[in-house]
Amino acid sequence: MLSHEVKILTENLNLFYGDKQALFDINIALEKNKVTALIGPSGCGKSSFLRCINRMNDTIKDCKITGRLYIDKRDIYNKSLDVVQLRTKVGMVFQKPNPFPKSIYENIAYAPKIHGLVKNKKSLDKIVENSLIKAGLFDEIKENLYSSALDLSGGQQQRLCIARTIAIDPEIILMDEPCSALDPIATAKIEKLIDELSQNYTIIIVTHSMQQAARISQNTAFFHLGRIIEYGSTNDIFTNPQSIQTQNYITGRFG
């Protein structure tokens, strides 16, 4: 039973890529300022669902969506909705770190500048510094703000991408396997960061790692073949799953 305020709600959400249906009747309520993990075997619809939340599927030819997806009770597929505004509210961090081939400073400053969020250099400096502090990166790179972001390690690049995402102060952060390209030490830093960020942001994370889902999320949804098989508190999903399919997946019998 959900005890907190709902941030994202779907009603009978279906997703088609041409003739192929990728998501079937997704009904889920995602809680505000919680970490929700999406787990399930490859190709089961987790990333497709994630991309529905910021309408990234709009960029795919022949993609069609039916049903409803609400953020703060507003249907984001309503024709009157401004998609640019939506994407300032819903940030995304990808599987592989993808910093711009610019300085660390410019990576963070870019979005606040194009969205008109800053009045002067001083306020931009503050946003850059605060974003890097929130991403746990500032102390490591404060002497090298104008060095190329491509010189950072993989784990630092991923934290830079998280800093870049939070620079425009979104409310929701989507993460598509943000640690899959990282070593265990960098992964631990990102997981600690996710925990800290969830105080202020609603975080939805796709992960292949059951251990990671158990460590960092409060709620978990298990996807299989484009459907949500089970959704509930992470503790319940991992210790007392209601579905035999969920049990088989988390015990490693398939997937």
Side-chain angles (χ1 to χ4, degrees):
M1 190 67 197
L2 297 178
S3 56
H4 288 76
E5 186 183 337
V6 170
K7 185 72 176 172
I8 302 164
L9 179 72
T10 70
E11 292 176 351
N12 299 328
L13 189 75
N14 295 281
L15 173 67
F16 301 83
Y17 296 123
D19 295 333
K20 182 178 181 292
Q21 189 164 356
L23 294 174
F24 298 81
D25 292 326
I26 301 296
N27 290 287
I28 193 168
L30 301 171
E31 292 183 316
K32 182 178 180 178
N33 292 11
K34 296 282 183 190
V35 180
T36 300
L38 311 182
I39 64 169
S42 292
C44 67
K46 307 181 298 291
S47 293
S48 290
F49 174 64
L50 201 70
R51 290 194 299 266
C52 290
I53 301 171
N54 65 351
R55 288 187 50 176
M56 269 190 72
N57 289 316
D58 289 15
T59 61
I60 298 169
K61 192 172 177 288
D62 296 331
C63 179
K64 187 180 89 170
I65 285 173
T66 64
R68 297 272 186 270
L69 196 160
Y70 300 96
I71 295 178
D72 294 330
K73 301 181 179 165
R74 185 164 184 210
D75 182 2
I76 67 164
Y77 284 89
N78 187 299
K79 286 186 170 45
S80 67
L81 184 107
D82 181 341
V83 178
V84 174
Q85 282 298 107
L86 171 72
R87 291 189 187 135
T88 60
K89 195 173 182 174
V90 185
M92 185 147 187
V93 178
F94 295 91
Q95 190 167 354
K96 289 200 173 81
N98 59 342
F100 305 138
K102 297 170 179 286
S103 71
I104 293 166
Y105 184 97
E106 275 303 316
N107 264 270
I108 310 294
Y110 179 76
K113 282 198 292 195
I114 61 165
H115 288 292
L117 300 179
V118 287
K119 296 182 180 67
N120 51 45
K121 175 80 163 61
K122 193 175 173 188
S123 67
L124 187 59
D125 289 348
K126 198 75 192 149
I127 286 175
V128 170
E129 184 176 329
N130 285 344
S131 302
L132 289 166
I133 289 169
K134 283 182 187 169
L137 193 55
F138 185 69
D139 285 344
E140 293 171 41
I141 54 85
K142 62 186 175 190
E143 308 299 328
N144 302 306
L145 281 178
Y146 295 96
S147 301
S148 170
L150 303 179
D151 293 340
L152 298 172
S153 71
Q156 288 175 322
Q157 286 186 12
Q158 194 62 302
R159 280 183 286 148
L160 177 68
C161 292
I162 293 170
R164 191 174 68 192
T165 298
I166 58 184
I168 51 172
D169 204 21
E171 295 171 20
I172 297 163
I173 302 175
L174 310 177
M175 296 185 163
D176 196 354
E177 296 201 54
C179 302
S180 66
L182 305 180
D183 63 60
I185 292 169
T187 295
K189 286 184 177 174
I190 299 281
E191 289 184 0
K192 180 173 181 284
L193 176 56
I194 289 169
D195 185 52
E196 290 165 2
L197 291 174
S198 68
Q199 309 299 313
N200 299 304
Y201 304 93
T202 301
I203 298 175
I204 322 296
I205 178 168
V206 169
T207 177
H208 264 109
S209 165
M210 235 82 66
Q211 294 84 357
Q212 183 171 72
R215 282 194 300 265
I216 64 169
S217 69
Q218 288 80 50
N219 298 319
T220 295
F222 169 54
F223 280 72
H224 186 51
L225 300 176
R227 290 183 162 84
I228 292 182
I229 305 299
E230 192 165 346
Y231 171 56
S233 83
T234 298
N235 192 43
D236 288 346
I237 295 285
F238 282 97
T239 60
N240 188 27
Q242 301 302 298
S243 158
I244 189 73
Q245 279 176 290
T246 312
Q247 190 173 348
N248 286 344
Y249 182 70
I250 62 176
T251 55
R253 292 199 188 104
F254 84 94

